[in-house]
Amino acid sequence: MPKSLSTFLDEISKIPGELIRISRPVKPQAFEATAILEHLHRRDDNSVVLFEEPENLFGKPSGIQLVSNVFATRERIARAIGHPVDQSRLPLSLEMARCDNESIPATVCQGAAPVHEKIFIGEDADVRNLPVVRHYEKDLGPVMTMVVGIRNPDEGFYELSFAKTFYKDNPRRMGASLHSLHLARILARYRELGKSAPIISILGHHPAFNLGVLAATPFGNDDYATIGGFMGESVRLAPSVTFGDEFMVPADAEIIVEGEVPPDESEVVDPFGEVTLFYQAQCIRNAFNVTAITMRNKPIMQDIFSGHKGHWNLGAIPKEGSIYNSLQTRFGNIVGVHMPHSLCSRLGFYISIRKSKEGFAKQVGHAAMLESPFFQFVIVVDEGIDVFDEEKVIWAAASYTDPSKDVDLIKNSWTIFNTAAGYQKVVIDATAPLDYPFPERFKVPDDVMSSINLEEWINE
């Protein structure tokens, strides 16, 4: 059976503590879904939450289930790509690096596509029938937080990225916050041609599909093939309802909203409670005119609880692999990469290296800054420091960093998110100096440590 969100939820439902079902009716547009998720977060409960009876924007039963928190633990993400759950730190990042290099070309679905079991076009393609979530108190309105896809008009490759699409008090109109540099580049080309850009919003698929979407791939990449590498199988595609085989859509998705981005129309989007825990400021972005909505017979709409563990993990863990690949190819001395929750898994990351000479750490740090416009802070440590142990990373920064030479401030460098740093970025060399005598860090002898079996020494 092809992988889908449904197959994954069936799998984890058999594992105690992994899935919570909410059977009472819930009003997602009135903050009830996110209030429940926030209560669970404050209890440190990272279970997947399946709302079985969410209302649509009419305030009526939607007949569509709603799921969130799918990515809230690294262990669950490991499970999604078939990786051992007890190896969910550095080994998971390295497995992501392998998946990033393991392209599997997409195939055309033979027979009816599951996502076309129900088709709504014209006036029936009404966004208000969906259980769209309003997340935070001052959000502009209900918003879909999932994957969008666009096809390049010249080379024909597909670019998929996460983006917010806001319902705009019009059943067939949304505002799309398409901030990805690759998406913006393709949309600029459609404007040059004076054409509307075909677009889809994919509101649910197997978690490995979404992880593949967030690999840090170059412009012109075959995103469906990259996603196949994360899924371990070909992504099955089917012709879209609106555009036919000129725009292929994932056949095993839960719900797809098809539409067009006109070259000369805009909409107000945001504020929205973003990944950084701040509201993103209101701005003008693209209009999204809905042409069709397709779904399974029993669809499950997926949502991302912004600014929480699932949101952070989803964006960070695939990029840990991509960044490792990029830096390792260039330098050959990379040991580990981690984008910690303390930096919202977007604003920066920690890198461990095998340092052979002074200056190497700075080279790696500056190159790493180019991997994403999100990044504002990079700390480079020695290979003996576990980048997943933040206490040790901060110890290294406090112990090995000479502020007069090891901290670089990069000024007037564009970034996406608003923090007090503005358009400034910081690279910190927190590796032990090699150019003058420096104290050695203590340790118990390795041979004695390996000879001790603690269970033999501790009385029951």
Side-chain angles (χ1 to χ4, degrees):
M1 180 182 296
K3 291 180 180 177
S4 68
L5 179 57
S6 301
T7 64
F8 182 74
L9 294 180
D10 287 344
E11 177 186 351
I12 66 165
S13 68
K14 300 177 176 66
I15 304 170
E18 280 290 279
L19 179 68
I20 293 175
R21 297 179 183 272
I22 306 294
S23 58
R24 288 178 54 180
V26 65
K27 304 177 188 296
Q29 77 280 16
F31 310 107
E32 288 186 352
T34 48
I36 292 168
L37 294 169
E38 181 66 27
H39 275 292
L40 291 169
H41 166 73
R42 294 180 184 183
R43 287 167 40 177
D44 199 28
D45 187 333
N46 300 307
S47 303
V48 175
V49 181
L50 182 64
F51 300 97
E52 296 180 325
E53 297 291 342
E55 292 184 356
N56 60 25
L57 295 184
F58 290 110
K60 298 179 179 179
S62 65
I64 299 171
Q65 296 186 94
L66 176 69
V67 70
S68 192
N69 269 16
V70 171
F71 302 96
T73 70
R74 293 183 71 96
E75 291 79 8
R76 193 177 300 133
I77 288 173
R79 189 183 304 280
I81 62 168
H83 184 71
V85 296
D86 60 349
Q87 299 179 31
S88 60
R89 297 179 75 174
L90 180 58
L92 177 59
S93 300
L94 298 179
E95 178 64 9
M96 289 287 170
R98 187 197 66 78
C99 291
D100 188 55
N101 287 328
E102 190 75 14
S103 292
I104 299 177
T107 57
V108 176
C109 176
Q110 302 300 313
V115 77
H116 289 158
E117 289 171 345
K118 291 183 179 179
I119 296 175
F120 305 92
I121 57 176
E123 297 300 320
D124 294 328
D126 191 331
V127 174
R128 295 173 296 181
N129 288 317
L130 302 175
V132 189
V133 180
R134 192 172 185 189
H135 294 74
Y136 298 109
E137 182 180 25
K138 296 182 180 180
D139 285 359
L140 179 66
V143 59
M144 303 173 196
T145 56
M146 295 304 296
V147 176
V148 299
I150 292 178
R151 190 181 188 196
N152 184 279
D154 300 317
E155 291 88 359
F157 62 85
Y158 291 89
E159 174 65 34
L160 276 68
S161 179
F162 274 76
K164 305 185 299 289
T165 49
F166 290 83
Y167 169 68
K168 298 300 297 183
D169 296 322
N170 181 321
R172 298 179 61 202
R173 177 85 161 188
M174 296 190 290
S177 183
L178 306 176
H179 51 259
S180 156
L181 295 179
H182 293 175
L183 291 177
R185 185 171 168 182
I186 294 173
L187 289 171
R189 178 56 179 154
Y190 276 103
R191 284 195 296 272
E192 289 176 359
L193 297 172
K195 294 181 178 180
S196 293
I199 187 171
I200 58 172
S201 180
I202 305 166
L203 303 179
H205 208 306
H206 192 278
F209 180 98
N210 294 320
L211 291 165
V213 168
L214 283 167
T217 53
F219 185 78
N221 181 71
D222 181 355
D223 279 2
Y224 281 137
T226 295
I227 293 167
F230 282 77
M231 295 186 71
E233 64 185 38
S234 294
V235 176
R236 301 199 311 160
L237 301 178
S240 59
V241 170
T242 305
F243 310 105
D245 58 11
E246 293 183 3
F247 197 115
M248 303 294 284
V249 302
D252 298 300
E254 296 290 320
I255 303 170
I256 293 178
V257 181
E258 300 180 3
E260 295 180 321
V261 176
D264 54 356
E265 298 178 23
S266 301
E267 284 286 356
V268 173
V269 299
D270 297 316
F272 176 74
E274 257 295 354
V275 66
T276 56
L277 308 183
F278 297 123
Y279 285 102
Q280 192 162 0
Q282 192 166 82
C283 58
I284 304 296
R285 287 289 185 267
N286 305 94
F288 183 140
N289 293 326
V290 176
T291 57
I293 299 175
T294 71
M295 63 184 70
R296 291 169 173 261
N297 281 328
K298 296 181 179 179
I300 304 170
M301 182 167 157
Q302 194 167 356
D303 184 68
I304 303 299
F305 188 25
S306 176
H308 288 77
K309 290 181 181 179
H311 192 189
W312 294 335
N313 288 339
L314 173 61
I317 296 175
K319 287 184 176 62
E320 288 175 356
S322 300
I323 294 166
Y324 175 89
N325 281 339
S326 177
L327 296 178
Q328 183 70 351
T329 298
R330 180 169 178 179
F331 297 102
N333 65 340
I334 309 302
V335 176
V337 174
H338 180 45
M339 297 171 65
H341 289 172
S342 59
L343 294 175
C344 301
S345 300
R346 297 295 190 283
L347 299 179
F349 56 103
Y350 308 143
I351 310 170
S352 57
I353 65 170
R354 288 182 293 274
K355 180 179 173 183
S356 59
K357 62 181 68 176
E358 282 299 321
F360 249 21
K362 283 283 189 69
Q363 282 192 333
V364 171
H366 281 271
M369 277 294 186
L370 301 177
E371 294 296 319
S372 172
F374 297 151
F375 299 147
Q376 291 182 293
F377 303 93
V378 171
I379 299 178
V380 185
V381 297
D382 290 303
E383 61 180 315
I385 301 296
D386 181 359
V387 290
F388 290 84
D389 188 336
E390 194 157 53
E391 181 177 314
K392 289 185 172 58
V393 172
I394 299 304
W395 174 87
S399 302
Y400 293 139
T401 302
D402 178 349
S404 66
K405 67 180 182 66
D406 292 333
V407 180
D408 284 359
L409 178 63
I410 306 168
K411 297 183 178 181
N412 195 30
S413 181
W414 180 73
T415 184
I416 287 178
F417 294 119
N418 294 322
T419 67
Y423 283 6
Q424 299 183 106
K425 303 184 178 186
V426 178
V427 176
I428 299 175
D429 176 356
T431 58
L434 300 177
D435 53 351
Y436 62 92
F438 198 82
E440 183 179 355
R441 185 177 176 181
F442 65 62
K443 68 174 183 177
V444 177
D446 290 337
D447 58 337
V448 180
M449 287 295 294
S450 62
S451 70
I452 294 292
N453 182 344
L454 194 59
E455 302 306 319
E456 297 175 355
W457 290 78
I458 297 178
N459 294 327
E460 293 185 0

